[in-house]
Amino acid sequence: MIDINQLQKNFGANEVLKNISISIPAHQVVAVVGPSGSGKSTFLRCINGLETITGGTITVNSHVINAQSPRKVQLKEIHSIRQETGMVFQQFNLYPHKTVVENVMEALLVVKKMNKEDAYKISSDLLAKVGLAEKEKSFPSQLSGGQQQRVAIARALAMEPKLMLFDEPTSALDPELVGEVLKVMKDLAEDGMTMVIVTHEMKFAKEVADRILFMADGVIVEDAKPTAFFENPQTERARKFLRQVS
Ligand code: ADP
Ligand code: MG
């Protein structure tokens, strides 16, 4: 589903991603872990075109972003990728003046030009799926952080993505609210969704991911199954990281 070849991303003189090549098959759940500043968010943002790439290619569902192609061509490909990709950030970014269900409906009405009734039905079902059926008519400010993040996940799912990207979805939450969000993500994984998740939740990564990518200094230093990575890391860099987070 994702094929990345020699991806480079610089911010000015800062080489943030250094020749990353990796493939992720459909239905795989990949956890990206690593120290702060190692390029994890930039990596995710490149996948759905939120950053202009400096070198290499990114292919998602046969849509290709090539650093060499004209910007106009890249944007067309990025547009296609975005249609098929949901992204969830640390900050929920819900519309404060819209109700919960209106937040989920928004893209269906605006992007898919769906009629209100159909959009409502889909959104209402998705809210039930993330355990928020009774919060439809609430406003975001009336919800806990964990509930807001579940709305953000439902909103991303409304577009029926083939791929979901998560950037530290639980990092802004009070500890007691982390579990309810991870539960929704675990359910999605069990449904077979292809997911790339940047996370500091090592227990979750160990339990739910099929594969761990350990990033440091803009490079994928380890690419392993969770048991192999957590029980037998191959590099000193990974051992040091695991000591710090445990
Ligand atoms: P991580 O998510 O692993 O903490 P990031 O991808 O956010 O790492 O950042 C990697 C590096 O890229 C850092 O040195 C950061 O300062 C730099 N960086 C990220 N975004 C920008 C930006 N928009 N402009 C300039 N530098 C950036
Ligand atoms: Mg980050």
Side-chain angles (χ1 to χ4, degrees):
M1 174 158 301
I2 304 177
D3 210 356
I4 294 176
N5 208 342
Q6 304 250 302
L7 169 63
Q8 283 174 270
K9 172 63 186 174
N10 300 350
F11 287 109
N14 187 4
E15 295 178 18
V16 174
L17 300 178
K18 302 169 185 164
N19 276 311
I20 292 185
S21 295
I22 190 165
S23 292
I24 297 173
H27 312 301
Q28 196 166 63
V29 178
V30 177
V32 182
V33 305
S36 178
S38 57
K40 304 180 302 294
S41 294
T42 304
F43 176 67
L44 270 198
R45 292 168 58 81
C46 285
I47 294 175
N48 74 344
L50 291 172
E51 299 291 353
T52 313
I53 64 176
T54 308
T57 60
I58 297 174
T59 308
V60 181
N61 293 318
S62 75
H63 309 297
V64 186
I65 312 174
N66 185 329
Q68 306 300 324
S69 27
R71 188 62 186 151
K72 203 176 141 200
V73 176
Q74 288 187 33
L75 286 171
K76 200 165 159 276
E77 296 295 294
I78 287 168
H79 180 76
S80 306
I81 291 172
R82 294 243 183 97
Q83 298 261 320
E84 298 173 2
T85 306
M87 184 144 180
V88 175
F89 301 88
Q90 187 174 330
Q91 298 305 333
F92 333 117
N93 307 317
L94 300 175
Y95 296 110
H97 57 284
K98 290 185 190 290
T99 64
V100 161
V101 74
E102 284 168 352
N103 266 276
V104 182
M105 289 167 68
E106 180 70 11
L108 294 174
L109 299 175
V110 176
V111 182
K112 289 210 170 165
K113 317 272 184 226
M114 198 176 271
N115 70 53
K116 267 197 156 174
E117 246 170 83
D118 292 345
Y120 174 77
K121 175 78 175 77
I122 290 171
S123 302
S124 177
D125 287 351
L126 280 169
L127 285 169
K129 187 175 156 139
V130 300
L132 293 173
E134 76 287 7
K135 297 291 183 188
E136 274 183 16
K137 301 288 190 303
S138 302
F139 284 90
S141 61
Q142 296 170 312
L143 268 51
S144 72
Q147 290 170 332
Q148 289 186 56
Q149 191 61 301
R150 286 186 280 147
V151 175
I153 294 172
R155 180 181 57 179
L157 291 174
M159 292 297 285
E160 297 187 89
K162 294 179 180 162
L163 168 68
M164 285 286 286
L165 306 174
F166 294 87
D167 192 357
E168 298 193 26
T170 60
S171 293
L173 302 177
D174 291 333
E176 73 272 21
L177 304 177
V178 168
E180 64 192 59
V181 173
L182 294 179
K183 165 75 168 64
V184 167
M185 292 168 64
K186 189 174 178 185
D187 290 347
L188 258 185
E190 282 166 2
D191 286 351
M193 179 62 81
T194 309
M195 299 163 74
V196 184
I197 308 162
V198 174
T199 185
H200 292 299
E201 297 290 335
M202 294 301 144
K203 187 167 162 282
F204 174 78
K206 200 184 287 187
E207 270 177 31
V208 177
D210 300 309
R211 180 180 182 186
I212 307 288
L213 301 181
F214 171 66
M215 271 185 89
D217 299 325
V219 176
I220 294 173
V221 177
E222 301 207 15
D223 174 358
K225 288 206 181 319
T227 43
F229 177 73
F230 289 106
E231 287 164 25
N232 191 17
Q234 298 295 300
T235 60
E236 180 50 32
R237 193 75 193 74
R239 284 191 286 272
K240 185 179 166 206
F241 172 75
L242 287 170
R243 279 197 300 274
Q244 285 166 344
V245 294
S246 64

